[in-house]
Amino acid sequence: MLEAYFQTLSEVMAAESQLLAKIYKHRGKLGENREALLQRFLRSYLPQRFGVGTGFALFDENVSTQQDVVVYDVLTNPVLFPETVAPLFPPSALAALIEVKSTLTKTELRRTIVKTQKLKQSLRESFAHHPQPPRTEALVALFAFNMRGLSITSTLHEMKTVEEELGAEMRDRLDAICVLGKGLVIGSSLLYATTMAGQPLVPDAPPLEQQRLAVEAENSLFIFYSRLLDYTLGRGDVRPQLMSYMPPDTPMGVVVAVG
């Protein structure tokens, strides 16, 4: 029942994506509309404690590059400029960030890998002064509607080549890639949860370097969604502690009296 249900949703999403491609000749707008398809799906099927949108992660005085799809906590964390088309999200609010590609190519894969490494490092640094950082980091994934010049297997090999070239640590790598109707590459974070320090939450878990799978699957949407749901719910609540994102020596005022 579950498999058939989500397979139908996947087929509908693929059909809508193809229809958009026939109508929208502007690549930027076509990409935005495809992002909206994934946002709508996640907004419909993730628990209501999560919001789904697009925007930027807030890092001290800087912001990240724009994130195509942001899954964020709406119960305990504020969002800055919430009514705009691209809000700012404090790191504590972020549960998952997803890059969306109309067509995944080697060039687009490389760009996403580079972007992911910088994003994960910045997110980790932003919690340096947080009194209670999350046990596990925000999930970073790539979702593609199609692929060109790649298979699921070659995507895994290409990822490894680029990441080794960059010298990216395991915890700074993409957590998952989903290609609609074709398959997934699933990283260690979705197989065995780890702490922000990279230590396994399951003491006897195999080494992270061995835990990356390329999986051909027509119902890749269901597998991706299921893993995303389990991971985000497993993180638990993260308190905002907004002042912790500012430099420790930031002047906040002058004490003029004590009573």
Side-chain angles (χ1 to χ4, degrees), residues 72-83:
Y72 61 97
D73 166 38
V74 298
L75 296 181
T76 58
N77 277 271
V79 176
L80 308 186
F81 303 106
E83 301 302 324

Side-chain angles (χ1 to χ4, degrees), residues 39-52:
Q39 290 174 15
R40 184 189 65 191
F41 168 78
L42 295 176
R43 195 175 291 119
S44 298
Y45 293 101
L46 286 176
Q48 292 187 2
R49 61 174 290 178
F50 296 113
V52 179

Side-chain angles (χ1 to χ4, degrees), residues 23-192:
I23 296 174
Y24 287 90
K25 303 307 178 183
H26 187 284
R27 289 183 59 187
K29 293 303 177 184
L30 174 59
E32 289 177 6
N33 282 319
R34 281 174 164 158
E35 291 166 17
L37 292 181
L38 181 59
Q39 290 174 15
R40 184 189 65 191
F41 168 78
L42 295 176
R43 195 175 291 119
S44 298
Y45 293 101
L46 286 176
Q48 292 187 2
R49 61 174 290 178
F50 296 113
V52 179
T54 184
F56 299 82
L58 179 62
F59 303 137
D60 189 10
E61 299 298 325
N62 302 308
V63 297
S64 69
T65 54
Q66 183 162 3
Q67 306 302 306
D68 295 338
V69 178
V70 177
V71 179
Y72 61 97
D73 166 38
V74 298
L75 296 181
T76 58
N77 277 271
V79 176
L80 308 186
F81 303 106
E83 301 302 324
T84 64
V85 295
L88 298 181
F89 300 93
S92 54
L94 300 173
L97 304 109
I98 306 171
E99 187 87 354
V100 179
K101 301 295 181 185
S102 289
T103 302
L104 181 61
T105 63
K106 288 184 177 181
T107 299
E108 293 293 350
L109 179 60
R110 171 178 285 272
R111 287 175 181 166
T112 303
I113 290 170
V114 172
K115 180 177 178 179
T116 297
Q117 183 184 29
K118 294 178 180 177
L119 175 64
K120 284 200 165 190
Q121 290 172 346
S122 296
L123 282 172
R124 196 174 304 117
E125 291 169 1
S126 69
F127 284 105
H129 304 291
H130 196 287
Q132 292 181 309
R135 290 194 307 167
T136 56
E137 298 184 347
L139 188 79
V140 180
L142 185 156
F143 187 97
F145 285 86
N146 210 332
M147 58 198 325
R148 184 174 67 244
L150 289 168
S151 65
I152 296 300
T153 300
S154 64
T155 296
L156 172 57
H157 296 321
E158 186 68 18
M159 283 177 66
K160 185 176 180 180
T161 298
V162 175
E163 289 166 344
E164 289 178 349
E165 178 186 318
L166 294 173
E169 296 183 27
M170 186 61 67
R171 59 181 179 168
D172 291 333
R173 301 181 180 187
L174 269 169
D175 296 301
I177 294 176
C178 177
V179 182
L180 185 65
K182 291 184 171 60
L184 311 94
V185 176
I186 304 174
S188 58
S189 56
L190 289 181
L191 297 168
Y192 292 94

Side-chain angles (χ1 to χ4, degrees), residues 230-255:
D230 291 344
Y231 185 90
T232 51
L233 287 175
R235 296 183 74 241
D237 294 332
V238 185
R239 295 173 59 189
Q241 297 287 344
L242 295 181
M243 293 180 67
S244 71
Y245 304 123
M246 304 171 66
D249 57 351
T250 301
M252 297 300 294
V254 178
V255 177

